[in-house]
Amino acid sequence: MNKDSEHIGTIEDAADARPILIVPYMWIGDFVRGHSVVRVLKARWPNRPVDLLTTTLCAPLVDYMPGVRSGIVWDLPRSRLAVAKQWGLAARLRARNYGTAIVLPRTWKSAIAPALAGIPERVGFVGEARFGLINQWRWGEKALPRFIDKNAALALPDGAPLPPEWPVPQLRVPAAEVSRFRQAQGLGRGTAVALAPGSVGASKRWSYYPQAARLLAERGLDVWVVGGPGEKALAAEIVAAGGPRVRDLTGTDLRNGILAMAAAKLAISNDSGLMHIAAALGTPTMGIFGPTSPYHWAPLNGLAATVQTKTVVPCQPCHRPVCTMNEHRCMRDIPASDVVDVARRVLAEAGAGTAP
């Protein structure tokens, strides 16, 4: 019995070697959470290879996920059916002779290619009239309390009780690769804090990253701003406020974000995909939460600190992408000094110094 099977039961058939395909959610944080599904499947069937369907954006994550054989990179448009691309994907899946497809999204479009590929077992929740596309229906998704429960339950036998704990997502980056990244970027060897100021939805973005960067730099820390091209303007503002110890590491390649989070001694993030990446890497991670609930959306790995306003905001959590009331106080009432104080405590607890 392996370590994960302690949580989810015993090995079912060690001789079964049919490959399994997971069709995950393609948002970065949700894609990272999907690694728990991989670990559940590997505990049940240790000799069945597991592949992940992935977008170009999320593909670098697959390289660091233990237990994943390969990623199937295929970018399907969000706004239309793209029949030709679905057929192309189905042909690629058919060539790999999958025995099972676990379709995590409850959408019609996500189940088309596995059905066209003729994968014998296609597991998913009832939703969007997917009759004929999914042939092993699961019910009761809405009764499951958390996103991880909805996903990982599909990797268990039908009707099986949920375990007391799910295996946590893991991302493992070789130390040599981290070292090469630091050298290539000219980052030196100082103690670094990675800031992830972006998020999907403006309401989840904390207001005072520039001030926090300045305070951290004044305490002898290197500060790296991590994110995608959408955070370039904000990164420039943070660098301008923080001074020469602050570096803009935003860009189009998620691999650089993964490596930056792996190299940092601490990550400070909004509720975003990078928060889940940092936590899965084992980097001590502070999550700043305003409109969303840490219970539902914090990483399964756990956070070194959860930061929320001390102000009583009656609309919190609202889960709205844009604040429509109370002047965004759930984020604006978290001062930079409080976040930096927590950061210093977390670094001290991790045994990280503040000087190069």
Side-chain angles (χ1 to χ4, degrees), residues 40-108:
V40 173
L41 291 171
K42 294 300 288 185
R44 289 181 66 191
W45 293 295
N47 293 315
R48 295 187 70 177
V50 177
D51 294 345
L52 282 168
L53 186 65
T54 179
T55 60
T56 300
L57 173 64
C58 291
L61 290 164
V62 176
D63 294 339
Y64 306 112
M65 287 182 166
V68 177
R69 180 179 67 174
S70 63
I72 309 300
V73 182
W74 202 268
D75 293 310
L76 292 168
R78 294 182 181 273
S79 58
R80 55 191 175 88
L81 183 57
V83 175
K85 290 186 74 69
Q86 291 280 5
W87 275 108
L89 175 57
R92 189 167 174 184
L93 299 181
R94 191 179 303 113
R96 289 180 169 247
N97 296 313
Y98 291 109
T100 303
I102 308 292
V103 183
L104 303 185
R106 203 163 54 97
T107 63
W108 187 72

Side-chain angles (χ1 to χ4, degrees), residues 99-315:
T100 303
I102 308 292
V103 183
L104 303 185
R106 203 163 54 97
T107 63
W108 187 72
K109 190 163 66 173
S110 64
I112 293 174
L116 292 176
I119 297 174
E121 300 170 349
R122 304 185 298 277
V123 183
F125 282 108
V126 173
E128 288 198 0
R130 299 191 292 180
F131 303 104
L133 300 180
I134 298 295
N135 61 10
Q136 291 198 14
W137 294 103
R138 298 293 179 85
W139 301 80
E141 179 191 24
K142 292 183 178 179
L144 297 174
R146 299 174 300 165
F147 188 77
I148 181 59
D149 299 319
K150 300 174 192 295
N151 285 345
L154 292 176
L156 295 177
D158 191 11
L162 301 186
E165 297 179 18
W166 295 110
V168 299
Q170 293 178 335
L171 296 173
R172 293 178 180 167
V173 180
E177 190 170 351
V178 174
S179 180
R180 288 193 299 270
F181 168 76
R182 292 190 73 137
Q183 184 175 9
Q185 297 288 337
L187 297 173
R189 302 179 63 84
T191 300
V193 177
L195 306 181
S199 69
V200 176
S203 68
K204 294 193 291 183
R205 297 173 194 159
W206 182 52
S207 309
Y208 307 119
Y209 278 100
Q211 294 89 332
R214 176 176 54 79
L215 292 172
L216 290 166
E218 288 174 353
R219 286 158 175 78
L221 294 158
D222 292 337
V223 180
W224 304 337
V225 186
V226 184
E231 282 76 63
K232 272 292 178 187
L234 181 53
E237 180 184 348
I238 294 170
V239 169
R245 299 193 76 102
V246 184
R247 286 283 304 274
D248 174 9
L249 298 183
T250 61
T252 58
D253 188 352
L254 183 60
R255 189 178 306 276
N256 286 335
I258 298 167
L259 293 172
M261 288 299 188
K265 293 297 184 182
L266 170 68
I268 303 175
S269 177
N270 301 325
D271 178 6
S272 70
L274 284 169
M275 175 182 68
H276 289 271
I277 288 174
L281 287 164
T283 299
T285 304
M286 292 170 51
I288 303 177
F289 286 84
T292 53
S293 162
Y295 172 75
H296 288 100
W297 300 110
L300 195 63
N301 309 73
L303 291 168
T306 300
V307 182
Q308 293 180 285
T309 180
K310 298 171 185 175
T311 303
V312 176
V313 185
C315 55

Side-chain angles (χ1 to χ4, degrees), residues 12-50:
E12 293 190 18
D13 186 354
D16 194 344
R18 296 172 300 148
I20 301 172
L21 173 71
I22 300 175
V23 180
Y25 288 87
M26 298 301 179
W27 298 108
I28 292 171
D30 297 341
F31 195 91
V32 173
R33 293 168 187 236
H35 190 246
S36 288
V37 181
V38 174
R39 297 187 68 187
V40 173
L41 291 171
K42 294 300 288 185
R44 289 181 66 191
W45 293 295
N47 293 315
R48 295 187 70 177
V50 177

